Amino acid sequence: MSFFSYFQKKSEPTSAARAKERLQIIVAHERHRRKQPDFLPKMQQEIIDVIRKYINIDSDQVVVSLDESDHCSVLELNITLPE
Amino acid sequence: MAKIIVVTSGKGGVGKTTTSAAISTGLAMRGHKTVVIDFDVGLRNLDLIMGCERRVVYDFVNVIKGESTLNQALIKDKRTEGLYILPASQTRDKDALVRDGVEKILNELAKDFEYIVCDSPAGIEQGALMALYFADIAIVVTNPEVSSVRDSDRILGILQSKSRRAEQSLEPIQEHLLLTRYNPIRVANGEMLSVSDVEDILAIPLLGVIPESEAVLKASNQGTPVILDAETQVGQAYNDAVDRLLGKDVAHRFLEEEKKSFFKRLLGGK
C-alpha cells in the first residue's frame, strides 16, 4: 500500500465492510421469514384470490407479514390498490 | 453413548470433506474410536481424501439395502488406529438414503464407536438432510465470503428446525463454527470478512480458524488427511479444533498476518 493510497482508503468503506453490511441485512431478513408460520404464503395467496374477485391487483401488491413482539403477535396486511 | 457429529455447510467447496477427514483422524489419534461416513451419494470423495479409494468394495447404500454387512463395508484406516471409513455409493439414486435405513446403521455403529462423523454433501437435499438429522453436534464449515456465510445461516436454520433433536424437542444440536480458507493478510487489507465479522453474523461459538494454505491441496493430492501434517499451520489449526471439540481450552492461532523476520524475508522463507 503506497503512502497516497492510505488517504484514499479513508473515504470509502472496504469491500469486507460492504460484505458484512449486506450479509447482516439479508440474514436478518431470511431469519425473520424462517420464523414465520408455514401457512403464511398459502394464506397470502388465498387473500389475493379473494381480493381479485372484486379488484384487479397484482400479487406483489399484497404484503402479509407476521410480527411477534413480547406478548402479542401482529398480522399486518398491506394492500396497495391500483389508481 | 456415541456422539454423532455432522460436518455441514450448505455451500459446496468450502472444505467439508477436508474437515471431516481431519476431525475424524484427530479424534482417533486421541484414542477415541471413530467412524467417518460419506453422505454424498453419487459423488463419493471422502475415500480419495482419506487415501483409501482402492479399498472400497461395499458402500453405505449397499449396507442400507442389505446387500452387504456393515463390517464388509467399513474400511479400516491404515494410518490411524481406531479410525474407520464408510464410503458413499457412486451410482445409486439420491433417495437411497432413507431415514429408517440411516438410523439403523447409526444405531449399529453407536455400539462400537465413540464418535460418528457424518460428511454432508453440499446443498439442502435429501443427502444433506440425512447427514444432519441424527446429529448431536454440528460443525458448520464456512468460508469468509458472502455466499458461504449466507448458506451457513440457512443450514443453521435447518439444524434448528428439521433435525431429530428439533423435531422431538430435545436439547438442541451443539453448533460450532469452523472458518476455513482464512487469509489474515486479505483481512488486514479489508478485502475479506474477519473472524469477528462472521461470528457477529452467525452468532455461534467458534471452533477454529483454518488458514488458507497450499498444504490442503498437497494433502489431498496424496490422500493424507491434512491434520497429519503437524508441522503446517493447517495441521496445527485442525489439531487445536479437535482439542476444543473435546472440551480443551485452546487459544486461537494464525488469525493475524505472520510477521516475517528480516532474515526470513531475506531467505524467502514462509
Side-chain angles (χ1 to χ4, degrees), chain B residues 16 18 33 44 77 89 106 129 136 141 145 147 159 166 175 219 244 254:
Chain B
K16 281 182 297 298
T18 301
K33 199 175 173 194
R44 172 162 83 205
D77 191 82
S89 169
L106 291 177
L129 296 180
D136 303 303
V141 183
E145 176 270 325
S147 52
L159 288 168
E175 298 157 344
R244 285 186 205 106
F254 319 121

Side-chain angles (χ1 to χ4, degrees), chain A residues 1 9 14-17 19-20 22-24 26-28 30-31 34, chain B residues 145-146 149-150 153-154 157 189-193 196-197 200-202:
Chain A
M1 205 190 289
K9 276 270 158 78
T14 61
S15 67
K20 186 181 185 186
R22 290 173 60 219
L23 272 170
Q24 279 173 324
I26 189 69
V27 163
E30 286 174 349
R31 276 183 198 158
R34 271 206 302 264
Chain B
E145 176 270 325
V146 285
V149 175
R150 181 201 209 170
D153 191 67
R154 234 9 250 287
N189 289 339
E191 299 167 10
M192 183 182 268
L193 291 164
S196 62
D197 289 341
D200 280 355
I201 294 161
L202 295 179

